Amino acid sequence: MWIVGLLTANLVVTPPVFTTQRGGGISSTLSTTKCKVVRLRADALIWPVRGGDRVERELSGNKNLEPRSNKVIWTMEPAAKKKVIYITYLIATLDITWLFLQFSITPYLAKRLGFDTIWFGYLQTTVGVIQLLGGPIYGRFADVFGARTALSVSCSASVVYFLLLTVADSTFMLFVHKLPAVFMHGLPGAQMVVADLSDNEKRAEALGKLGLCFGIGMIAGSTLGGTLSTRFGEKFAASFAAIGSFVSLLLVLNFIPKQTKIHTVPESDKRGSSKSVFNLGEITRLMKFPGVAKTFTVKIMSGLPSGIFQVMFSIIAMNFFQLKAEQNGYLMAYFGIVQMVIQGAVIGRLTSRFSEYTLLLLSVGISSAVGLGQAMMTNVFQFCLIVIPMMFSLSVFNVITDTMLTKSVSPSDTGTMLGLCASVQSLLRTVGPTIGGYLYETYGVPSFGYIQCVINAAVFSLLLATGGRSQPQRP
């Protein structure tokens, strides 16, 4: 077994009651309150204690004990959980900051290199395909190798990504710099840590706070990106983001525990299945769980129109609203402020008072109304008014669907499930730019709104017709 320690040099250990499993059943329950003082490394959050053996013997330095069981229930002190979750929120905020800093660079760099709307759509599609392939594999990787390793890979890929952006002075290099995005899944990695360490009844609120981090990162990244690229150039802004990604990597290596799966072992281990990261059977089997396929269908259908609008927004802001880089940064910062208010002050209260099904219906219905508003807007002021319900529907929809899906599987499979959730967004970014480019050139901006209105109205009717049958929750 593993018992969680605190980040101190010397302490008296008082471990909680814990259990070991043999043959699928609980074989023993140990509780000890008398342990000798031990010295831990500064980076140690967890240390091993073999199942079924007394803690005093293990801590005394006897390393010759044979493990009696290889099926373990993990545990972690509440204070340690809280600390890891707060650090995870900080890492997620920084990751989103560098992401939105890049959003303030790429469209203008692409335009300077001669990209038109169609070619910019191809560039966005390339990113979508790369992350679509990487999302589920990254999630499985996180489940197998642990949170620290997975987040370290993501942060390292971000460093390479921004370094390549600093030397992207041609069409070819602008495409090449997108390749490390296959490993860049910092937000799904953070979601996995938060989902692993939060209770089921508080998971929606905990994941909602990641949306608050998203809002902060959107404000900081958009403002920094617009200001730095305008005053010092795109290369300086990209270099700044590379340094920031390295800081995120250091935070991961120093504060995130190697393993956050505290509840049970993966079901694949119980069946003796392969632990290969590329085992597609272990990834796709989650789609067979009750309610998962339906929720994924809703996530894709309802998310497609808004996803198209989001990937095309940089072009809309530049051409339809005639915004400069710095002005676009301020608009994105406004998005972030709205999202911060919604995620920090609204979603937690809603999830404590209403069912997930009710909130899902609410978000889809509002999204349909937002689409109608987008179809009728003519200037940036009108769009700023539409942003409030738009961000509300997006925030509630994403939090609720992710919560429903992670509750439907074993806690040991949350990484894989969140990887699949990320792949939905990547799928939207894959098909979105091509569809969006065609719609923009052929029918104009109002076409995005009309499509969103019709599709979400259809999804709303489908949800009403099928009813809110509760999904079975995994232990």
Side-chain angles (χ1 to χ4, degrees), residues 100 187 191 203-216 218 299 302-303 306-307 310 332 334-351 356 358-368 370 386-404 425 452 456:
F100 275 89
L187 186 57
Q191 288 176 320
R203 183 170 299 171
E205 183 178 359
L207 290 175
K209 289 179 180 177
L210 275 174
L212 178 63
C213 300
F214 191 96
I216 296 173
M218 183 186 295
K299 195 174 183 69
S302 182
S306 59
Q310 288 176 57
M332 298 301 290
Y334 169 65
F335 289 174
I337 293 173
V338 174
Q339 178 152 336
M340 284 173 57
V341 173
I342 293 171
Q343 299 280 7
V346 178
I347 287 186
R349 290 180 172 86
L350 289 177
T351 55
E356 292 165 353
T358 300
L359 293 176
L360 182 60
L361 271 178
L362 178 65
S363 64
V364 173
I366 292 178
S367 183
S368 179
V370 166
I386 296 171
V387 162
I388 297 174
M390 182 183 78
M391 297 304 293
F392 175 84
S393 63
L394 286 174
S395 299
V396 173
F397 181 80
N398 289 328
V399 169
I400 293 302
T401 52
D402 287 351
T403 301
M404 293 171 68
Q425 300 299 321
Q452 179 169 329
N456 279 278

Side-chain angles (χ1 to χ4, degrees), residues 374-433:
Q374 289 176 349
M376 297 180 175
M377 69 180 181
T378 57
N379 55 58
V380 70
F381 175 75
Q382 293 174 355
F383 177 67
C384 287
L385 297 178
I386 296 171
V387 162
I388 297 174
M390 182 183 78
M391 297 304 293
F392 175 84
S393 63
L394 286 174
S395 299
V396 173
F397 181 80
N398 289 328
V399 169
I400 293 302
T401 52
D402 287 351
T403 301
M404 293 171 68
L405 289 168
T406 54
K407 284 183 177 180
S408 299
V409 300
S410 166
S412 299
D413 291 316
T414 53
T416 305
M417 177 55 73
L418 287 167
L420 288 171
C421 291
S423 72
V424 172
Q425 300 299 321
S426 299
L427 175 63
L428 301 181
R429 287 196 298 269
T430 300
V431 301

Side-chain angles (χ1 to χ4, degrees), residues 118 120-132 299-301 303-312 423-440 448 451 455:
I118 301 299
F120 187 76
Y122 292 154
L123 182 66
Q124 296 291 81
T125 300
T126 301
V127 179
V129 171
I130 289 173
Q131 292 204 311
L132 176 63
K299 195 174 183 69
I300 293 172
M301 290 179 60
L304 178 60
S306 59
I308 293 174
F309 183 83
Q310 288 176 57
V311 297
M312 294 300 298
S423 72
V424 172
Q425 300 299 321
S426 299
L427 175 63
L428 301 181
R429 287 196 298 269
T430 300
V431 301
T434 303
I435 299 174
Y438 172 77
L439 290 174
Y440 181 83
F448 299 130
I451 291 175
I455 291 180

Side-chain angles (χ1 to χ4, degrees), residues 91-101 187 213-215 217-218 221:
I91 293 170
T93 302
L94 292 175
D95 183 77
I96 298 301
T97 299
W98 316 136
L99 178 66
F100 275 89
L101 188 148
L187 186 57
C213 300
F214 191 96
M218 183 186 295

